[in-house]
Amino acid sequence: MITVPKYPEGANLLRDKVVVVTAAAGTGIGSATAKRALEEGAKVVVSDWHERRLGEKAAELADLGDVHAIPCDVTKEDHVQALIDGSVERFGRIDVVVNNAGLGGTKSLVDMTDEEWTRVLDVTLNGTFRATRAALRRFAEQGDGGAIVNNASVLGWRAQGGQAHYAAAKAGVMALTRCAAVDAAPLGVRINAVAPSLAMHAFLAKVTSDELLEELTAREVSGRAAQPWEVANVIVFLASEYASYLTGEVVSVSSQHA
């Protein structure tokens, strides 16, 4: 029998922390992370390139706590810097940055254009780099530590047809996480990543064929896809003091067996 665990109650794991989440306007892991962070006592800045959806998401989350929306396209350095600066202007500091922005798509490598390859890497890997760099500079100014959690993917380890650009970008996010953690350690900043396999949400179902979703679900020993909030729970843990001695790690949020 396949069952989904009960949605958890908040336990103030992020009480009074200021958490910045990129790509948080959709229906997936970013918005779930923003919601869980609010439920865990954080003040949250949500960002996304799509301003209308971002405004709607901020309004939806407003009943849960103090949330602020700042539009951001992570492929643009000035947008990323404005996100960090705007977060500090609104809340006085930042404590956690969740780099969730990523772009996928399915395309055989032999048919892939330079533009398609570059776009996926620019959003997924370079965007994570830009936000990590901006956050570390701010953490250095604050002088009292912080945490960064990156969203990678099991495809950073595993092979899947049509995913060369996405897998390469996510493998890069994993390597960036490990190396940046070494650079950040003297600042008291921890940097970790999650690597989900299949987290089901409305947008994924819209852009992915039923056949592929069935195939990916069949790989999960639990017999089901994760809920986005289940991935968000691990992100919250990594952002919290419960992970105070954990850095440079990529945590698989997956039950895949093949």
Side-chain angles (χ1 to χ4, degrees), residues 144-194:
D144 55 359
I148 297 172
V149 185
N150 298 325
N151 191 0
S153 167
V154 294
L155 289 185
W157 292 311
R158 302 169 186 170
Q160 184 174 312
Q163 297 294 315
H165 47 359
Y166 184 73
K170 291 299 190 178
V173 169
M174 292 178 174
L176 172 63
T177 297
R178 290 188 287 265
C179 293
V182 176
D183 290 341
L187 302 174
V189 177
R190 299 179 297 103
I191 305 179
N192 294 289
V194 294

Side-chain angles (χ1 to χ4, degrees), residues 134-243:
L136 287 179
R137 288 171 175 170
R138 179 61 200 177
F139 287 142
E141 292 178 15
Q142 292 177 177
D144 55 359
I148 297 172
V149 185
N150 298 325
N151 191 0
S153 167
V154 294
L155 289 185
W157 292 311
R158 302 169 186 170
Q160 184 174 312
Q163 297 294 315
H165 47 359
Y166 184 73
K170 291 299 190 178
V173 169
M174 292 178 174
L176 172 63
T177 297
R178 290 188 287 265
C179 293
V182 176
D183 290 341
L187 302 174
V189 177
R190 299 179 297 103
I191 305 179
N192 294 289
V194 294
S197 52
L198 180 62
M200 187 62 68
H201 54 89
F203 181 74
L204 179 65
K206 181 179 179 180
V207 300
T208 308
S209 69
D210 291 341
E211 292 77 14
L212 179 56
L213 289 176
E214 290 175 5
E215 176 188 339
L216 295 176
T217 301
R219 297 181 187 179
E220 303 289 331
V221 295
S222 57
R224 65 175 179 87
Q227 297 295 307
W229 60 262
E230 292 180 289
V231 181
N233 284 344
V234 182
I235 293 173
V236 165
F237 162 73
L238 292 173
S240 78
E241 297 305 319
Y242 280 91

Side-chain angles (χ1 to χ4, degrees), residues 73-106:
D73 179 347
V74 298
T75 68
K76 299 177 180 179
E77 169 59 21
D78 60 333
H79 279 221
V80 173
Q81 191 59 54
L83 171 61
I84 299 301
D85 291 344
S87 300
V88 173
E89 181 178 353
R90 175 66 175 81
F91 291 117
R93 61 178 292 108
I94 60 171
D95 297 289
V96 178
V97 172
V98 179
N99 286 314
N100 176 66
L103 181 66
T106 300

Side-chain angles (χ1 to χ4, degrees), residues 19-24 29-31 33-34 37 44-48 96-98 100:
V19 178
V20 182
V21 186
T22 66
I29 293 169
S31 61
T33 299
V44 175
V45 177
V46 290
S47 73
D48 202 280
V96 178
V97 172
V98 179
N100 176 66

